[in-house]
Amino acid sequence: MDAVWNLSNRRLTQVAYGIGGLAQWLPRHEGRTLTLLADPAVADSEAVDQVSACAAWAGRSVERLVLDGAGTLESVTALAERLRGGDVVLAVGGGTLLDQAKLAVLMSAAPVVRDRLAVRQRGGLVLLPSEAEPVIPLITVPTTVGTGSELSGGVCLAGPHGKRLVLGNGLQPDLAVLDPVSTRTLPVELLAEGVLEVFFRVAGMYVGDPQDLPSEDAFALTLVELLVVLGAELASVRGAGETPGDPLRLEIAKLSGVSHSQWFNLGRDPCACKGWYLANELSTGLGLRKMTAAAAVLTPLWRRIAEGDTHWGSARRLRRLWRSVTSVHPGLAEDPVEGVTQLLDTWRIGRRVAATEERTDHIAHATMRAWGDGLPTLGALTLADVRRVLADSVESVESADSAEQPLYPPQTSADIRRRAAHNITEGGEHHADHDQQRRVRTA
């Protein structure tokens, strides 16, 4: 058990279930101002209105900033300069916005963070100095599920060669506020993908490390079972053409954040979830939503593990995890590889993508450059190992004109937003209260 997850003096993120908890938290902290960061999709949402009202009740003046784009080192640096000297920062949005807020708040107090990120390196993993600690309190209000950024000590940062994974204890927010009003207009497709994202992360860590850790294993398997139950409930709601209720969305949001708890992974190899690195590069290389890429990778990856390739994970632990899944979802095949394919289809997760062999080969090389070739993230895996899984994840086509496009609509988060907005106008699938449906959140 050599892995160390948290030796920082900084305490773990507090959690409030309900925006009302913000009104209890703010008076305990000094300052008179609050900088509210929001992405364009939620700038005029009910969630933003409610947190603004809580801030006003607590005697805080609110400055609203709308952030657009994926966030680069340059844009995050500019945001850090703007936040320096503030009292409290509150971020409302999906994982991309929360990541930008976390990194900017830390950078505003510790310029060494920017120096570390500005260093040119081929690796996709960046570890921040342990002494880097934020000064400004940060509150996160997630409007999507899956990333769990509101409770994690990591962020993804867009760069010229793809996304980098940045880890540091100073990135953990002070308070996370989970309220169903924040996800009320989240399209059901993205809610289902959020369930998969948590499943992919927890299962990947569990199967990717061969050692048995009784307490941590029990926590992880219980979380997987709960995810499968919630995924089945969500699939039933979708099948009936209904809108997911507040309780279901809140439970999914809870598991999304808690999956980052050290109790699930204490003592495990921090790089055990090998599939994440492949999905990250496949998503970037083909312009896919990240869970379309993850779903495409999952079955071929589990097939390699089931066949006994220990570089990817433990077949024994994969079978044990799948027994937990089928214990709460008995209709699935007993074979993990066949069963997980059924599970993805039951959850209606798009997983069919296409690319030319040349493009797939390029992505394999990019994956090795960022995460392999001696780096701990992919460990002993070779280019041939990575190329084989990626080749099995995509449908090969000869022409670039027909390649690199998802074969399962909608193809992008923007497509989902446009379709959801149309359904709202026409009284379609998302037919909840129009005031609550003013904006559709990004993935």
Side-chain angles (χ1 to χ4, degrees):
M1 288 196 180
D2 296 326
V4 175
W5 285 86
N6 193 339
L7 290 181
S8 171
N9 292 324
R10 183 173 173 79
R11 68 178 181 178
L12 298 178
T13 306
Q14 295 179 285
V15 179
Y17 291 148
I19 290 175
L22 182 62
Q24 301 177 35
W25 188 91
L26 282 173
R28 303 174 187 171
H29 296 77
E30 297 180 356
R32 304 297 300 173
T33 63
L34 182 147
T35 303
L36 193 156
L37 308 178
D39 62 41
V42 301
D44 300 321
S45 66
E46 183 181 3
V48 168
D49 291 344
Q50 288 193 16
V51 297
S52 298
C54 281
W57 179 89
R60 304 272 179 155
S61 61
V62 177
E63 178 188 12
R64 296 192 187 188
L65 299 178
V66 178
L67 302 183
D68 202 358
T72 63
L73 179 57
E74 291 73 22
S75 66
V76 171
T77 300
L79 179 60
E81 290 293 331
R82 185 161 185 174
L83 297 179
R84 185 170 289 119
D87 292 329
V88 175
V89 174
L90 188 151
V92 184
T96 298
L97 180 128
L98 300 188
D99 284 356
Q100 293 179 65
K102 289 159 59 176
L103 195 53
V105 166
L106 181 59
M107 194 182 294
S108 70
V112 67
V113 171
R114 191 198 183 282
D115 296 339
R116 178 65 62 88
L117 294 172
V119 174
R120 296 186 63 180
Q121 63 179 58
R122 72 174 179 89
L125 176 63
V126 181
L127 300 178
L128 298 181
S130 59
E131 64 272 16
E133 295 282 348
V135 174
I136 307 170
L138 173 64
I139 304 163
T140 52
V141 184
T143 59
T144 62
V145 299
T147 69
S149 181
E150 66 276 7
L151 283 172
S152 79
V155 304
C156 286
L157 178 67
H161 301 294
K163 291 182 180 179
R164 290 190 288 174
L165 177 61
V166 184
L167 301 179
N169 290 322
L171 291 170
Q172 284 195 290
D174 294 85
L175 174 69
V177 179
L178 305 182
D179 193 306
V181 71
S182 303
T183 57
R184 197 167 282 163
T185 56
L186 181 66
V188 68
E189 296 95 330
L190 300 185
L191 188 61
E193 290 187 3
V195 176
L196 173 62
E197 185 165 2
V198 185
F199 179 90
F200 188 79
R201 180 166 61 242
V202 176
M205 291 297 293
Y206 179 90
V207 174
D209 192 321
Q211 61 183 323
D212 293 332
L213 303 171
S215 297
E216 291 77 10
D217 287 353
F219 289 138
L221 293 177
T222 298
L223 178 55
V224 166
E225 291 175 5
L226 290 172
L227 283 167
V228 172
V229 170
L230 293 176
E233 183 178 347
L234 179 60
S236 177
V237 169
R238 291 182 71 181
E242 300 174 352
T243 300
D246 285 357
L248 175 58
R249 286 182 287 101
L250 180 58
E251 288 304 308
I252 294 173
K254 287 179 184 179
L255 299 187
S256 176
V258 79
S259 65
H260 286 287
S261 170
Q262 61 180 324
W263 292 110
F264 292 100
N265 298 311
L266 189 64
R268 297 199 201 285
D269 174 7
C271 304
C273 188
K274 306 299 185 187
W276 187 92
Y277 310 112
L278 272 66
N280 181 72
E281 296 304 317
L282 187 63
S283 171
T284 301
L286 298 185
L288 306 172
R289 296 204 310 278
K290 57 186 175 182
M291 283 302 103
T292 302
V297 165
L298 187 55
T299 298
L301 175 64
W302 278 22
R303 183 177 297 113
R304 295 296 299 148
I305 295 172
E307 291 172 352
D309 190 337
T310 57
H311 292 131
W312 292 108
S314 166
R316 174 180 57 84
R317 289 174 63 80
L318 175 59
R319 290 191 296 269
R320 184 192 300 168
L321 178 135
W322 195 249
R323 284 196 296 270
S324 290
V325 171
T326 55
S327 72
V328 295
H329 199 314
L332 298 173
E334 294 184 1
D335 173 65
V337 179
E338 180 183 354
V340 78
T341 305
Q342 293 174 342
L343 186 66
L344 292 172
D345 291 342
T346 298
W347 288 353
R348 296 169 65 182
I349 304 293
R351 56 184 174 84
R352 297 180 59 213
V353 299
T356 62
E357 290 186 10
E358 180 182 7
R359 188 60 178 168
T360 302
D361 190 63
H362 176 80
I363 295 171
H365 278 88
T367 303
M368 291 301 294
R369 182 177 60 247
W371 311 104
D373 284 337
L375 296 175
T377 38
L378 285 181
L381 288 164
T382 67
L383 176 61
D385 294 326
V386 170
R387 184 189 284 117
R388 178 173 178 178
V389 172
L390 288 175
D392 289 344
S393 302
V394 303
E395 296 184 16
S396 180
V397 294
E398 295 183 1
S399 170
D401 293 335
S402 59
E404 301 153 25
Q405 293 294 329
L407 303 180
Y408 186 102
Q411 295 167 1
T412 67
S413 297
D415 293 331
I416 294 179
R417 293 201 303 273
R418 286 191 290 269
R419 193 183 73 181
H422 174 75
N423 286 340
I424 292 167
T425 303
E426 299 297 326
E429 181 178 5
H430 303 289
H431 54 268
D433 182 88
H434 278 242
D435 289 336
Q436 296 168 351
Q437 299 275 6
R438 286 178 292 184
R439 301 284 183 179
V440 178
R441 289 153 176 74
T442 59

